[in-house]
Amino acid sequence: MATTAPVHPVDEVPPVRQLAAFGLQHVLAMYAGAVAVPLIVGGAMKLSPADMAYLITADLLVCGIATLIQCVGFWRFGVRLPIMQGCTFAAVSPMVLIGTTGGGLPAIYGSVIVAGLAIVLLAPVFGRLLRFFPPLVTGTVILIIGISLLPVAGNWAAGGVGSADFGEPKNLALAGFVLAVVLGVQRFAPVFLSRIAVLIGIAVGLAVAVPFGFTDFGGVGDSDWVGISTPFHFGAPTFHASAIISMLVVALVTMTETTGDLIAVGEMTDRKIEPRSLADGLRADGLSTVLGGVFNTFPYTAYAQNVGLVGMTRVRSRWVVAAAGGILVLLGLLPKLGAVVAAIPAPVLGGAGLVMFGTVAASGLRTLTQVDFKDNHNLTVVAVSVAIGMLPVGVPTVYEKFPDWFQTVMNSGISAGCLTAIALNLLFNHLPGKAGSPKTAATEPEAASAGA
């Protein structure tokens, strides 16, 4: 009775200084993506600068709360893994359409609240589908997640989409410098410092960027010290059938993406996702999305950017990401702090992003090493799924002539590739086929993946 069971690395609580450093690193990794959704939607709706600032601070606040729900958890809400939450890009196009033609922000928030409730109700159903995610499917999806994020890092490295100096050699040089710092710290620094290599790279990159005129902190002085998001700031939500239907499609897409992210983190942390924990994670997504609709922001999902950081740093504690959630809450309540983080130039983030997102792709390849590719069709499953997943990444306008609902599903390379991998795995490894088509390569890992 005197002996205590060893604590799983996911549940370990690092010292406070490490929590703060690791947590800040996660915040910096996802910050640009987190504020991009309110910037895009607010810009399309031609909101005033004050309203745009309000959207961003509200988003950061709910990002933090959503991350705490997912990492810390309560009752049946939260997967209790190091998962960072942020606004999903899958909802951007439908929300812009709703906001500009279908009733403004109140209509967006009405559809977001309904979608969040739908995710909560559907979470147990998705949890029971985990058996359709053997290593063949999960490895492919993780690979697609990493590859599809690389253009994001490339755009950052070039200066950020829409910037006047996009592609200038100085931007790529700064990104390359940050990449070199991150790699140097990982290779030569002591263990603790190597685990915050991304944070050190961003800090050193920022120190170089300021004297060379890449950024300035002029916006910090104009920001308020305190800003609190109040429910339904832009008016009571309205409920339009067309808006709700489009957002329900988004909900299914984000549930598919989140499933892939949760499985990826489960693989990286050696805590396999099971049907119940998957349902708990998706239920937390739904609750966070409802909170988004109430507190003037948007649907939430697991952030793939931070999956790469977990794999790269090998820091598996969920309390590190919970600390990041606390930092985001502070940024949401203290706009001046948020303005400081926002001043980090895109090329600095790009240099760090190349390492992180490449790590996600490499983790997918590592998972695929568990799969038997001899005398079966598994190579075809991977090949076609990656091809379909990369199609909207390489050719963003490929589906622009298709209906909106189809674009919502297929314009996300992650959801398109994930659905393709699931369907092809069923076709080749589950449906009765011709004699001599072995199924053991899928069924054995499937049992392990399902927690059997």
Side-chain angles (χ1 to χ4, degrees), residues 151-239:
V152 176
N155 282 322
W156 286 346
V161 176
S163 63
D165 61 350
F166 185 86
E168 289 281 348
K170 64 175 185 177
N171 291 335
L172 294 168
L174 178 58
F177 171 73
V178 171
L179 174 60
V181 171
V182 172
L183 295 175
V185 171
Q186 271 207 306
R187 174 63 181 86
F188 299 109
V191 173
F192 169 68
L193 291 179
S194 70
R195 288 179 173 174
I196 55 169
V198 170
L199 179 60
I200 293 172
I202 290 174
V204 173
L206 183 60
V208 171
V210 172
F212 281 94
F214 281 91
T215 188
D216 65 75
F217 293 92
V220 177
D222 299 331
S223 302
D224 295 328
W225 277 106
V226 179
I228 299 175
S229 179
T230 54
F232 308 125
H233 173 79
F234 295 99
T238 58
F239 302 92

Side-chain angles (χ1 to χ4, degrees), residues 60 85 128 162 249 295 299 329 374:
L60 293 173
Q85 297 285 103
R128 288 193 289 272
V249 174
F295 286 96
V329 170
K374 294 180 180 178

Side-chain angles (χ1 to χ4, degrees), residues 78-406:
V79 72
R80 295 168 176 83
L81 284 174
I83 295 287
M84 202 83 182
Q85 297 285 103
C87 282
T88 174
F89 284 87
V92 168
S93 296
M95 289 192 300
V96 168
L97 193 64
I98 296 166
T100 54
T101 64
L105 285 172
I108 291 177
Y109 296 138
S111 64
V112 167
I113 290 170
V114 173
L117 293 172
I119 292 172
V120 172
L121 295 174
L122 290 172
V125 177
F126 256 72
R128 288 193 289 272
L129 297 178
L130 190 60
R131 64 193 185 92
F132 297 115
F133 289 84
L136 173 64
V137 173
T138 58
T140 303
V141 171
I142 297 167
L143 175 62
I144 292 169
I145 291 171
I147 298 174
S148 66
L149 286 171
L150 286 173
V152 176
N155 282 322
W156 286 346
V161 176
S163 63
D165 61 350
F166 185 86
E168 289 281 348
K170 64 175 185 177
N171 291 335
L172 294 168
L174 178 58
F177 171 73
V178 171
L179 174 60
V181 171
V182 172
L183 295 175
V185 171
Q186 271 207 306
R187 174 63 181 86
F188 299 109
V191 173
F192 169 68
L193 291 179
S194 70
R195 288 179 173 174
I196 55 169
V198 170
L199 179 60
I200 293 172
I202 290 174
V204 173
L206 183 60
V208 171
V210 172
F212 281 94
F214 281 91
T215 188
D216 65 75
F217 293 92
V220 177
D222 299 331
S223 302
D224 295 328
W225 277 106
V226 179
I228 299 175
S229 179
T230 54
F232 308 125
H233 173 79
F234 295 99
T238 58
F239 302 92
H240 301 270
S242 59
I244 290 170
I245 291 170
S246 64
M247 204 56 66
L248 288 175
V249 174
V250 170
L252 293 174
V253 172
T254 57
M255 291 177 81
T256 305
E257 290 187 6
T258 295
T259 298
D261 291 332
L262 296 184
I263 291 172
V265 173
E267 295 273 352
M268 292 175 178
T269 58
D270 295 324
R271 177 172 279 180
K272 301 288 185 183
I273 291 293
E274 297 180 355
R276 174 169 175 150
S277 56
L278 174 59
D280 292 348
L282 293 172
R283 204 177 279 114
D285 264 14
L287 175 60
S288 301
T289 297
V290 172
L291 290 176
V294 172
F295 286 96
N296 320 293
T297 177
F298 308 114
Y300 285 85
T301 187
Y303 251 35
Q305 289 93 317
N306 297 83
V307 173
L309 194 54
V310 171
M312 183 187 135
T313 63
R314 297 185 297 281
V315 176
R316 296 180 279 176
S317 171
R318 60 191 172 105
W319 297 104
V320 164
V321 179
I327 294 171
L328 283 172
V329 170
L330 279 177
L331 293 176
L333 295 174
L334 303 173
K336 201 173 283 291
L337 283 179
V340 172
V341 178
I344 298 174
V348 171
L349 296 173
L354 288 171
V355 187
M356 293 187 299
F357 304 161
T359 300
V360 179
S363 298
L365 292 175
R366 183 176 60 188
T367 301
L368 287 173
T369 60
Q370 305 172 30
V371 178
D372 182 7
F373 287 102
K374 294 180 180 178
D375 302 321
N376 56 43
H377 301 290
N378 289 339
L379 194 63
T380 301
V381 174
V382 176
V384 176
S385 301
V386 171
I388 298 297
M390 290 301 98
L391 199 56
V393 176
V395 190
T397 57
V398 66
Y399 298 124
E400 67 177 8
K401 303 296 184 184
F402 284 74
D404 290 338
W405 66 266
F406 186 90

